[in-house]
Structures are given as structure tokens and as C-alpha cells.
């Protein structure tokens, strides 16, 4: 059968950490590759939702000094980000993380894509339907209307296992209230650096404001971290999860989260300005393009990586990357809970987690690969998404 419309060897759906890695890798291996993204920039949660730290890049270890866990694309991204921000890895408790700036992430992604003649990027393009004849037929919606392109191989890096739903297949999703809570990250400008004592003072003030009835209870989930740029900090507001019937796939629910995030952030910042010199001339400088979603649908793959695998640092014959981030549970309003593997051991991620059951010519990457809820709490971080994305791109381009 002749391909309909434009034909690509590989089409990657979603240009977040995983999709970027998949598309660049497939193109570098010679595959004519199409990268589809609904936003006006790449980076996914790392740009559109202002998530500002790369986790999962480094091995867990007691000794000082960060050691990269996965070579290849994750290491390349770490190097490019360090060169862009001038900031190296930071030890936070038992983990090493790399501060990343969303503005730099989007710019670096543009440069990486532009360097690949075999890679075609379509921003402002939403995938609305998928069918399979001899090749994959992908329906795209843009400002000019709809268009169908075809591809021999598909990578689902949508974060939400979108392709499973578009094909009418089952996907896994944790039941409320276990689903990881969403969060709203926003940018703030303040005249002085937010040092440790200002941070502690702010936390105390917020508690005081809630007790006095001046601030909503939701303000309790608000924390701040310096971005590394003069006067700029990020506020992260953990939002209500399961206890209020949270559904990350329901646009009415997502609408409420966006509005609640902005309202709580604005009220709290205005109140803090009247209480502390540190916040007096502070202001919110930018909102995210979308609320941060930590967990939604997961693919049902040939292998399902589990929390039990991660705890013992299980290794697999056909593994494509290492998962090193502790399982980070954000299910409760009482804050995060981390579960570390025995002896800081990394676990393998087998290729089977990237291969949907009963389908060929498709690979999955990023936070929606085939895992249980517990393992997703580790593999969802961007350092690991770069690694699963790279592996999916390599596999889609023929190994
Ligand atoms: C509040 C919060 C804090 C976090 N903190 C950290 C942290 O500190 N460190 C860390 O490493 N990770 C963190 N994470 C996790 C991490 O950010 C995400 O799990 C990771 O970015 C997921 O990458 P991804 O590529 O799988 O998906 P995403 O980044 O969600 O990318 C998916 C992309 O697909 C696009 N897309 C979806 N559907 C379509 C469609 N139909 N058509 C076209 N495009 C589509 C989306 O627009 C998006 O760009 C955090 C997450 C949240 C929400």
C-alpha cells in the first residue's frame, strides 16, 4: 500500500524530556523522524509546567560527588544544561540533582533539533487520532485544520499513554486517592535572595496566616526554591489530590486546578508582602502554561516494572537504562515520602517496559512506560525520561 500524505520512518508523539530524546536519537540513527508537540516549545513538564530540577541523572551513593547513571542522551543534556546555567549537581539529603532552567531547556531543545537534518519538528500540532493499516496513520490538528501523516514506527512520549486511548486499548491508572498529587509551579521575582532564614521565616508566616484564617489551607503546600538567576525564585504549590476527587484526564478538573493554583499563589504572595521585608516588593513574574501532572495513565507493556523490583535493585537481561531515583510518593497532603532501594542499588529498566503488549512497531517512553504505581514514582523523573526516550528512539530507528 502506498503511504497517505507525508511518510516518516518514525513519528514521536509528545516533545517532553522523553520525546525530545527519542526524536533526536532516531534522527541521529538515520531515520526520517517527525516530532509532534502541541505547545510552542519542547520540554513538556520541564518547560510548560516549570519543573526546574533534573532528577534521576545520578547514581545514589554515600560518597560525595555526583556520578552519572546513564551515558548517552541524559549525560549530553546534563552537560548542555550545566554549560547554560553554570550550575552543577547539588546534593540534597541523600540524592544528587541538577538544577535546570525551563528557558534554557526550551532553547537547548531547539538547538538539538535544528542540528538533525533527518528530524522534522511540528509545534502547535495536536495528535487527535491514530489508526493502523500497513503503516500508522496519525491525524494532526493545527490552526489550518486537520492533516494525516503516516509513519512506519511510532513512539508514544505523550506522558499520558495517549496512543493507547486513541487506539481504544486499556491502560493502567492508579485509583484515587493513590494517584500522585498535581502541583502548580510559578515564577517569582524578589529583590533579595531567598536564603535559608528567609525560607524558614516564610514557612512560619504561612502557617500563621492559615491559623489566623487569612490564607487558605491550600497555602500549606507552597514551597520556594531559588532558580539560580538574580532575584528569581520558583514557587511550587502542591494541589489537592485524591481527597477532592482528582482526575488528571478530566479537563473540568484540570481547569479548577489551574484557577486554584493561580488564586492561592496570588493571595499568598500578596499577604506575605504585607508581613515580611523579604516579600515586600516581590511579584509573580510568570505562570506555567499548564499545571504539573505527576501521574496519569500508564501503558500495559510486555514487562511491568514494579516497586518490588526497584527496592532490591533488580537487573534484567535486556535492560535499556538504570532507574536511580528513589520512589517519591506525593499522595498525601503531609508532603513527600521517599523510599530508597537497598544499598542504594540502581534497578534496570527492561526493554519490555517500552513495548506495549500485543502491538508491534510502537515503543513507549517517559513517565507512561509500563510500570506499577510504585515504580512510576521513580521512573517519572526527567533524567530517567531522557534515558527511556533515547532507548525508544534507538529501538524505533531499528536498534
Ligand atoms: C510538580 C512536579 C514536580 C516535579 N519535579 C520533578 C523534579 O524535580 N525533577 C524531575 O526530574 N522530575 C520532576 N517531575 C516529573 C517530571 O517533570 C515528569 O514526569 C517528566 O517531565 C515527564 O516527561 P515526559 O516526556 O514523559 O512527559 P511530559 O513532560 O509530560 O511531555 C509530554 C509532551 O507530550 C505533549 N503532548 C501530549 N499529548 C499530545 C498530543 N495529543 N499532541 C501533541 N503533543 C502532545 C505535551 O504537550 C508534552 O509536551 C515533576 C513533575 C511535576 C508535575
Amino acid at each position: 500500500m502506498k503511504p497517505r500524505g507525508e511518510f516518516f520512518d518514525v513519528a514521536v508523539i509528545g516533545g517532553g524530556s522523553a520525546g525530545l530524546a527519542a526524536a533526536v536519537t532516531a534522527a541521529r540513527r538515520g531515520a526520517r523522524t517527525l516530532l509532534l508537540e502541541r505547545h510552542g516549545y519542547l520540554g513538556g513538564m520541564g518547560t510548560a509546567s516549570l519543573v526546574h530540577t533534573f532528577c534521576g541523572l545520578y547514581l545514589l551513593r554515600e560518597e560525595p560527588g555526583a556520578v552519572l547513571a546513564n551515558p548517552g542522551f541524559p549525560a549530553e543534556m546534563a552537560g548542555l544544561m550545566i554549560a547554560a546555567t553554570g550550575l552543577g549537581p547539588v546534593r540534597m539529603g541523600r540524592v544528587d540533582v541538577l538544577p535546570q532552567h525551563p528557558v534554557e531547556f526550551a532553547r537547548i531543545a531547539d538547538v538539538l533539533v535544528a542540528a538533525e537534518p533527518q528530524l522534522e519538528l511540528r509545534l502547535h500540532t495536536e495528535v487527535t487520532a491514530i489508526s493502523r493499516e500497513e503503516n500508522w496513520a496519525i491525524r494532526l490538528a493545527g490552526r489550518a485544520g486537520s492533516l494525516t501523516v503516516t509513519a512506519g514506527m511510532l513512539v508514544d512520549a505523550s506522558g499520558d499513554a495517549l496512543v493507547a486511548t486513541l487506539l481504544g486499548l486499556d491502560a493502567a491508572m492508579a485509583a484515587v486517592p493513590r494517584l500522585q498529587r498535581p502541583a502548580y509551579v510559578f515564577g517569582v521575582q524578589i529583590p533579595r535572595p531567598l536564603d535559608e532564614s528567609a525560607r524558614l521565616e516564610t514557612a512560619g508566616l504561612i502557617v500563621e496566616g492559615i491559623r489566623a484564617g487569612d490564607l487558605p489551607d491550600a497555602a500549606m503546600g507552597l514551597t520556594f526554591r531559588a532558580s539560580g538567576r538574580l532575584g528569581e525564585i520558583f514557587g511550587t504549590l502542591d494541589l489537592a489530590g485524591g481527597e477532592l476527587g482528582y482526575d488528571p484526564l478530566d479537563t473540568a478538573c484540570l481547569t479548577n486546578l489551574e484557577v486554584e493554583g493561580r488564586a492561592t499563589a496570588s493571595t499568598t504572595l500578596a499577604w506575605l508582602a504585607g508581613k515580611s521585608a523579604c516579600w515586600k516588593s516581590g511579584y509573580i513574574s510568570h505562570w506555567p502554561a499548564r499545571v504539573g501532572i505527576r501521574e496519569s495513565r500508564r501503558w500495559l507493556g510486555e514487562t511491568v516494572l514494579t516497586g518490588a523490583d526497584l527496592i532490591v535493585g533488580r537487573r534484567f537481561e535486556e535492560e535499556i537504562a538504570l532507574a536511580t531515583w528513589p520512589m517519591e510518593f506525593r499522595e498525601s497532603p503531609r508532603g513527600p515520602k521517599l523510599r530508597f532501594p537497598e544499598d542504594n542499588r540502581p534497578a534496570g529498566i527492561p526493554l519490555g517496559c517500552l513495548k506495549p503488549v500485543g502491538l508491534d512497531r510502537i515503543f513507549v517512553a517517559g513517565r507512561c512506560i509500563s510500570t506499577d504505581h510504585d515504580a512510576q514514582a521513580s521512573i517519572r523523573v526527567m533524567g530517567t525520561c531522557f534515558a527511556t526516550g533515547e532507548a525508544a528512539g534507538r529501538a524505533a530507528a531499528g536498534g
Side-chain angles (χ1 to χ4, degrees), residues 13-19 36-39 41 43-46 49 51-56 125-128 157-160 162 182-185 225 236 238 290 292-294 328 365-368 380-383 385:
I13 297 175
S17 321
L36 298 162
E37 170 55 51
R38 62 186 163 175
H39 289 133
Y41 42 66
M45 293 284 157
S49 303
V51 174
H52 44 276
T53 317
F54 288 155
C55 300
T125 304
E126 177 124 19
V127 174
T128 56
S158 64
D160 286 322
L162 175 80
Y184 195 79
V185 187
R225 190 186 290 161
T236 299
D238 267 334
R290 58 200 310 132
I293 300 301
R294 290 189 169 98
E328 181 182 331
R367 73 182 155 95
C368 59
R380 70 166 181 263
V381 292
M382 289 185 274
C385 289

Side-chain angles (χ1 to χ4, degrees), residues 63-301:
E63 303 81 5
V67 176
L68 284 162
N70 291 300
F73 197 86
E76 183 179 353
M77 273 305 287
L80 291 169
M81 188 55 73
I82 290 169
T85 62
L87 302 171
V90 179
R91 175 77 45 112
M92 292 174 72
R94 290 176 62 184
V95 293
D96 292 304
V97 303
L98 185 67
Q100 77 96 7
H101 202 289
V103 167
E104 296 300 340
F105 192 168
R107 185 192 60 76
I108 289 168
D110 286 343
V111 172
L112 287 171
V113 168
E116 297 311 323
Q118 287 290 76
L119 176 52
E120 184 166 332
L121 170 64
R122 301 261 176 97
L123 299 173
H124 292 274
T125 304
E126 177 124 19
V127 174
T128 56
I130 291 186
S131 58
R132 169 87 179 265
E133 293 165 21
E134 189 183 322
N135 292 307
W136 294 100
I138 308 156
R139 193 93 186 133
L140 311 178
R143 299 304 294 160
S146 288
L147 158 83
T148 300
V149 293
T150 51
M153 299 289 302
L154 208 58
V155 175
D156 183 352
S158 64
D160 286 322
L162 175 80
V163 175
T165 302
L166 293 179
L167 292 173
L169 302 172
D170 286 339
M173 189 158 118
V176 172
R178 285 203 75 206
L179 215 47
Q180 309 289 353
R181 292 157 67 89
Y184 195 79
V185 187
F186 55 97
V188 178
Q189 286 286 323
I190 51 168
R192 302 188 214 161
L194 189 75
D195 57 21
E196 197 49 31
S197 76
R199 228 155 37 148
L200 285 174
E201 185 205 4
T202 302
L205 282 172
I206 289 176
V207 171
E208 187 188 305
I210 293 170
R211 284 210 185 112
D214 294 337
L215 292 179
D217 288 352
M220 198 62 178
L222 186 52
T223 52
F224 296 97
R225 190 186 290 161
S227 79
R229 292 184 169 187
L230 194 66
E232 184 186 62
I233 56 175
F234 289 113
T236 299
L237 175 66
D238 267 334
L239 294 165
E243 66 273 23
L244 294 184
Y246 168 55
D247 180 352
L249 304 175
D250 174 18
T251 52
C253 175
L254 292 169
T255 302
N256 287 339
L257 294 175
E258 303 279 3
V259 173
E260 186 198 329
R262 284 189 283 277
T264 306
S266 306
T267 307
T268 309
L269 271 270
W271 187 84
L272 284 170
K275 292 280 170 189
S276 153
C278 166
W279 293 97
K280 199 164 184 309
S281 326
Y283 58 90
I284 295 173
S285 54
H286 46 288
W287 299 122
R290 58 200 310 132
V291 67
I293 300 301
R294 290 189 169 98
E295 185 186 13
S296 60
R297 283 176 305 227
R298 286 169 272 118
W299 270 93
L300 299 169

